[in-house]
Amino acid sequence: MKKVSIVILNWNGAAMLHRFLPTVVDHSADIAEIVVADNASSDNSIEILKSEFPEVRIIVLDRNYGFAGGYNHALEQVSTPYYMLLNSDVEVGENWLGPLIDFMDAHPEAAACQPKLLAEHTRDHFEYAGASGGYIDRYGYPYCRGRVFETVEKDEGQYDDIVEVLWATGACLMIRRDDFWRVGGFDERFFAHNEEIDLCWRLFNLGRRIFCVPQCHVYHVGGGTLPKGNPMKTFLNFRNNLTMLYKNLPEKDLRHVMRMRFWLDYVAAFKSLLLDRNWGEFRAVIRGRKAYKAWRADFADDRRNIQASRVVRNDSSVADLLPRASYSILWQYYVKGNRMYKYLRKAK
């Protein structure tokens, strides 16, 4: 029995499957089961899979469950010890899985890990979605080693060390089957965006650890389903990010962080309206906040359970940025001009 299943969630991604799935098959079929879970596509994805990739297992879902729900429904049907969640727009190379499997085998404390993500179109630069491992600042804004807001760094080997991170990107995420289901998988209510950060944070709260293993690297296109700047993407990001904070923040931090986010989110909304003249983005931020407020009570039990099961860690090896940085990334980026991760590490 193979140890790893590579599970690719697809929704109307026939072009991406045709382009990138051959690299996965060529460099993985000997050591991993390859699965494509189709989120009720209306294009010819299934036909392409059946005709061009007979070695790939197909799971057909009855409707589009989004990223979170789609993976949950698909992974219920996968039994290998390790899941490798892989976006359909990722190109992999020879022996790409080896370093990740070796690391997970050698580190039972690790629930999940990611490789280094580079941009498929500019291969010497990091890719926005995950770069070389993710963190969040004190107010819940995510950033990565190699990507802070819109600033994406050139990869010069500066983040090639294996480090513990708060979150690993869902674009290429290796996770233990037992850990995935220990926390109930992704929160399907999120549909898409921030679900992997929420998952990793919940695991961290249980004392499990997340790593970036840059000895493996892949190339990611990114933004295939909802491109950056799409109002729906903005809506989901704001709604889900606030919900994630409500679920996972310790009691001592919750009120202060949510009060600050109220003001920071409205500053972002009015910047979109007054400076960028982007009415769609303005409305998306406001809608995201209203949607969070409307469904917050639905997550009260989740919050109580997460806080009740939280493990207090006194491990000196844990990076001082975990689980949240002590600073505001907005202040560092826009006021102090610290736009790269290496400068944030020195921030106070």
Side-chain angles (χ1 to χ4, degrees):
M1 177 180 174
K2 291 178 178 177
K3 185 182 294 187
V4 182
S5 290
I6 301 167
V7 185
I8 299 170
L9 188 65
N10 175 67
W11 180 70
N12 290 339
M16 293 298 182
L17 292 173
H18 191 272
R19 181 178 174 188
F20 294 111
L21 188 52
T23 70
V24 180
V25 172
D26 289 347
H27 300 303
S28 319
D30 57 334
I31 59 172
E33 175 190 34
I34 303 174
V35 181
V36 174
D38 188 77
N39 242 338
S41 294
S42 57
D43 66 2
N44 62 336
S45 293
I46 299 298
E47 289 75 13
I48 286 177
L49 290 169
K50 289 180 177 178
S51 63
E52 299 185 24
F53 304 100
E55 60 274 89
V56 171
R57 177 185 170 197
I58 305 171
I59 297 175
V60 179
L61 303 177
D62 61 336
R63 62 183 175 87
N64 182 5
Y65 290 95
F67 185 95
Y71 264 120
N72 282 357
H73 285 268
L75 294 176
E76 288 175 344
Q77 305 177 52
V78 178
S79 59
T80 51
Y82 296 145
Y83 299 149
M84 167 52 76
L85 281 53
L86 187 69
N87 278 16
S88 61
D89 58 349
V90 172
E91 176 187 325
V92 305
E94 186 175 356
N95 193 35
W96 70 289
L97 277 177
L100 303 178
I101 296 172
D102 291 345
F103 179 84
M104 295 291 280
D105 285 347
H107 295 85
E109 74 279 10
C113 68
Q114 70 158 80
K116 175 168 65 176
L117 262 70
L118 301 175
E120 190 273 337
H121 57 288
T122 51
R123 291 176 171 244
D124 59 351
H125 280 69
F126 291 101
E127 202 278 317
Y128 184 92
S132 200
Y135 305 95
I136 59 173
D137 82 337
R138 67 184 304 176
Y139 300 122
Y141 294 104
Y143 61 99
C144 305
R145 293 199 305 168
R147 189 274 296 172
V148 181
F149 288 137
E150 304 305 313
T151 301
V152 180
E153 296 181 46
K154 184 177 182 180
D155 175 27
E156 298 176 325
Q158 68 270 43
Y159 305 127
D160 276 357
D161 52 322
I162 296 174
V163 296
E164 184 173 4
V165 296
L166 176 63
W167 59 272
T169 175
C172 189
L173 172 67
M174 178 171 283
I175 186 166
R176 296 182 196 274
R177 179 179 184 272
D178 289 347
D179 279 311
F180 185 83
W181 294 115
R182 179 183 306 200
V183 292
F186 290 122
D187 192 326
E188 296 186 24
R189 294 165 291 187
F190 281 31
F191 191 77
H193 299 294
N194 282 266
E195 69 287 315
E196 77 266 52
I197 306 178
D198 173 66
L199 176 77
C200 290
W201 198 349
R202 285 183 281 134
L203 285 165
F204 184 89
N205 286 336
L206 290 178
R208 304 295 288 151
R209 302 175 71 175
I210 316 297
F211 291 86
C212 177
V213 182
Q215 285 63 40
C216 167
H217 68 270
V218 299
Y219 298 98
H220 184 215
V221 174
T225 304
L226 287 176
K228 195 160 55 171
N230 182 293
M232 177 54 71
K233 186 168 191 171
T234 300
F235 164 78
L236 291 170
N237 271 322
F238 274 83
R239 184 197 66 176
N240 294 351
N241 184 267
L242 291 167
T243 306
M244 173 188 72
L245 291 171
Y246 174 70
K247 290 170 61 179
N248 291 285
L249 278 171
E251 193 64 35
K252 65 183 179 64
D253 297 331
L254 181 63
R255 182 174 297 183
H256 171 68
V257 170
M258 288 307 195
R259 186 184 299 120
M260 287 300 298
R261 279 297 299 266
F262 175 86
W263 295 109
L264 291 171
D265 289 353
Y266 276 100
V267 167
F270 281 100
K271 173 187 176 294
S272 296
L273 180 64
L274 301 177
L275 298 183
D276 303 334
R277 300 191 180 280
N278 191 328
W279 175 250
E281 284 287 287
F282 172 80
R283 290 185 67 249
V285 176
I286 303 302
R287 286 179 55 236
R289 286 204 56 89
K290 288 183 176 178
Y292 158 70
K293 186 176 180 180
W295 78 353
R296 179 177 56 198
D298 296 341
F299 294 84
D301 287 343
D302 297 78
R303 173 166 176 79
R304 279 191 291 269
N305 292 334
I306 289 170
Q307 300 309 312
S309 60
R310 179 186 296 276
V311 173
V312 178
R313 293 174 58 178
N314 297 308
D315 186 346
S316 61
S317 69
V318 178
D320 58 5
L321 293 184
L322 297 173
R324 294 179 297 132
S326 60
Y327 50 75
S328 164
I329 197 173
L330 291 168
W331 181 263
Q332 292 295 324
Y333 189 88
Y334 290 108
V335 178
K336 301 194 73 173
N338 292 330
R339 302 193 171 193
M340 295 185 183
Y341 176 81
K342 63 181 179 181
Y343 301 131
L344 294 176
R345 287 287 293 168
K346 302 175 183 178
K348 301 294 183 182

